[in-house]
Amino acid sequence: MEKVKQLQQDFADFMAKTDFGGQPAELYEPIGYTLLQSGKRLRPMLCLLANDLFGGDEQQALWPALALETFHNFTLIHDDIMDQAPLRRGRETVYQKWNANIAILSGDAMLALAFQYALKPEKGAELARQLGKVAIEICEGQQMDLNFETQKVVTIEDYLEMIRLKTAVLLAASLKMGAICGGADPKDAQYLYEFGIGVGLAFQLKDDLLDVYGDTKDFGKEIGGDICCNKKTFLLISALTQADAKGKKTLSEWLNKTSFDRAEKIAAVTRIYDELRIRHLTESKMKEYYDQAIDALRKVNTNENRKEDLYKLAEHLLYRIS
């Protein structure tokens, strides 16, 4: 994936030249602290790959790529406040390093910066419109996720709609914005969007799976976090749906315990998942979305060879171990 490596380097160079400073320092320092951390940079890469797919000007596409990375990190800053998370990518979260008020203000400034970056290219108005649409959808998904914490019954359909909004739409919009910047036909831009939705749904289901069946060394955080906090994931909802009366009773007992041994709870719930073949069910659902994504990508009217990196990226996200 030489093209991906080159685009990653080009984006890193572009970010290094971008001034994230300003006054008051307390507002701007958290922005640089957040954006200049090393991360997957998945969303800007999708944007740049989609632009390249249609032979677009990379210098123009770097701006929406930066807009997407800035927007994505804004959502993480606010997520960390809501989750009271102490660490992000192995470093203190902004709210932990400074305080919640500074984190809110810096996040708000990043949201505004994201729109300023999106407006810079020739097709800035359309790019900003797409960013505005996805911003609202992510808020809808985040609120659904918060509702699930106290909602007694969450269906598989509810959950899939939540992760579509909270995760998949931003990956899809990254591709569509890159395609728009590259001058794609609206139909092709929409096919790329559908590719992104399928990849995004598979990506989040993989995260759910890794939290239970991943290796701590590869995954980068402790396994079983979702189980310990009773997070309503695809795995838990599927288990509650498919378990017999005895299994439902056991799961409910663990879900209602306020004091428990962490390792014991993880082992007990995972054992139920194993008995119900929940891992296989999750992998099948992931493959279903992956196949839908590939079908959409095949419909994009451009040389198949130019799509190679997107095919490889989709496969990597499906079979990743972290």
Side-chain angles (χ1 to χ4, degrees):
M1 298 174 74
E2 288 302 315
K3 172 58 73 173
V4 172
K5 289 179 183 176
Q6 183 59 56
L7 292 175
Q8 285 175 327
Q9 187 59 54
D10 291 348
F11 185 69
D13 293 343
F14 185 70
M15 286 195 74
K17 293 175 190 172
T18 304
D19 183 10
F20 299 114
Q23 292 295 327
E26 291 82 1
L27 177 68
Y28 288 96
E29 283 178 3
I31 296 174
Y33 174 81
T34 302
L35 286 175
L36 297 175
Q37 289 184 38
S38 60
K40 290 185 177 77
R41 310 286 195 215
L42 176 59
R43 291 143 196 90
M45 284 309 96
L46 290 173
C47 178
L48 293 173
L49 280 169
N51 174 71
D52 183 72
L53 192 62
F54 300 99
D57 180 354
E58 185 182 307
Q59 292 305 307
Q60 290 278 307
L62 284 166
W63 286 111
L66 180 58
L68 288 156
E69 184 68 0
T70 305
F71 175 81
H72 172 59
N73 280 276
F74 140 71
T75 67
L76 299 182
I77 286 180
H78 281 198
D79 278 355
D80 289 338
I81 299 168
M82 285 186 273
D83 296 341
Q84 297 184 354
L87 296 175
R88 166 76 63 180
R89 298 167 183 154
R91 301 171 73 191
E92 284 183 293
T93 53
V94 169
Y95 104 93
Q96 186 79 14
K97 186 174 175 64
W98 283 273
N99 59 53
N101 288 338
I102 285 176
I104 290 168
L105 282 173
S106 292
D108 289 346
M110 287 172 72
L111 176 60
L113 283 171
F115 279 93
Q116 287 187 349
Y117 298 147
L119 284 164
K120 282 184 178 285
E122 295 171 5
K123 297 174 181 174
E126 176 59 18
L127 295 171
R129 191 180 75 79
Q130 293 295 327
L131 189 60
K133 176 177 177 290
V134 77
I136 292 168
E137 289 175 324
I138 287 173
C139 289
E140 292 171 350
Q142 179 66 21
Q143 187 60 57
M144 287 182 72
D145 199 16
L146 290 172
N147 291 350
F148 289 174
E149 292 177 11
T150 54
Q151 197 171 316
K152 286 190 176 179
V153 178
V154 177
T155 66
I156 290 293
E157 291 72 26
D158 291 337
Y159 181 74
L160 293 173
E161 175 62 6
M162 184 274 288
I163 64 172
R164 185 187 74 83
L165 290 167
K166 190 174 174 181
T167 301
V169 293
L170 186 54
L171 297 181
S174 300
L175 287 154
K176 190 169 186 176
M177 287 170 68
I180 290 167
C181 203
D185 180 276
K187 187 180 289 186
D188 288 328
Q190 184 59 30
Y191 284 140
L192 274 184
Y193 181 88
E194 291 168 10
F195 167 72
I197 292 292
V199 167
L201 288 167
F203 178 84
Q204 185 55 55
L205 290 175
K206 183 70 171 188
D207 255 15
D208 290 357
L209 200 63
L210 287 172
D211 192 82
V212 178
Y213 292 103
D215 186 303
T216 301
K217 177 165 56 68
D218 296 319
F219 193 38
K221 60 182 180 181
E222 283 190 298
I223 299 303
D226 289 347
I227 290 174
C228 289
C229 68
N230 297 338
K231 188 171 178 63
K232 294 181 176 77
T233 63
F234 183 85
L235 285 80
L236 178 58
I237 297 167
S238 297
L240 286 167
T241 302
Q242 300 205 9
D244 59 16
K246 181 182 176 182
K248 282 186 172 68
K249 182 173 180 293
T250 303
L251 275 172
S252 294
E253 286 171 353
W254 279 111
L255 291 173
N256 291 323
K257 281 186 180 182
T258 55
S259 178
F260 54 84
D261 179 85
R262 189 179 193 279
E264 186 183 1
K265 179 172 181 176
I266 293 169
V269 175
T270 302
R271 189 158 51 247
I272 293 171
Y273 288 172
D274 291 342
E275 290 168 358
L276 296 171
R277 300 188 74 223
I278 298 298
R279 180 174 188 168
H280 173 74
L281 180 67
T282 307
E283 288 173 339
S284 294
K285 196 66 176 175
M286 284 163 48
K287 184 64 166 54
E288 178 186 329
Y289 285 127
Y290 170 82
D291 289 343
Q292 288 176 11
I294 296 304
D295 285 345
L297 183 55
R298 286 193 179 118
K299 293 175 184 175
V300 176
N301 186 26
T302 189
N303 190 297
E304 278 296 305
N305 291 334
R306 297 190 72 123
K307 304 176 193 175
E308 184 179 353
D309 286 319
L310 286 172
Y311 283 123
K312 286 180 179 177
L313 186 60
E315 187 175 6
H316 167 72
L317 293 175
L318 184 70
Y319 295 109
R320 66 197 164 96
I321 59 174
S322 65

